Amino acid sequence: FGILTNSNGNITLHIHGAFGKGEVSVVGCLRKGAEVFVTIEVIVTEIAEIQAHRYLDDKTKCNLLEF
């Protein structure tokens, strides 16, 4: 699963996944210290002619989506 977004003029990709080899595996958001508690299935569709962008939220330190 991934999100392709334009952040400050740069294309970025954010993915969640499950990766493993042998007895070692990682699942979910693979950033250090991140925890993922719920997995859902989502259907994605394009919404034409909408202006949306991401911005860094000072409180959460996350790139939030704004319409």
Side-chain angles (χ1 to χ4, degrees):
F1 173 71
I3 298 171
L4 186 63
T5 183
N6 187 327
S7 177
N8 299 321
N10 299 312
I11 300 297
T12 59
L13 178 63
H14 177 89
I15 63 170
H16 288 192
F19 305 93
K21 184 175 182 180
E23 294 188 20
V24 177
S25 64
V26 290
V27 178
C29 181
L30 305 180
R31 290 181 291 186
K32 186 176 182 179
E35 295 182 48
V36 177
F37 296 99
V38 177
T39 302
I40 61 172
E41 185 173 331
V42 177
I43 298 172
V44 178
T45 186
E46 180 181 5
I47 303 173
E49 299 184 27
I50 285 212
Q51 296 295 320
H53 69 278
R54 290 197 176 269
Y55 69 96
L56 182 62
D57 181 67
D58 292 330
K59 182 177 180 181
T60 63
K61 304 298 184 211
C62 292
N63 285 313
L64 301 180
L65 184 61
E66 182 172 75
F67 296 94

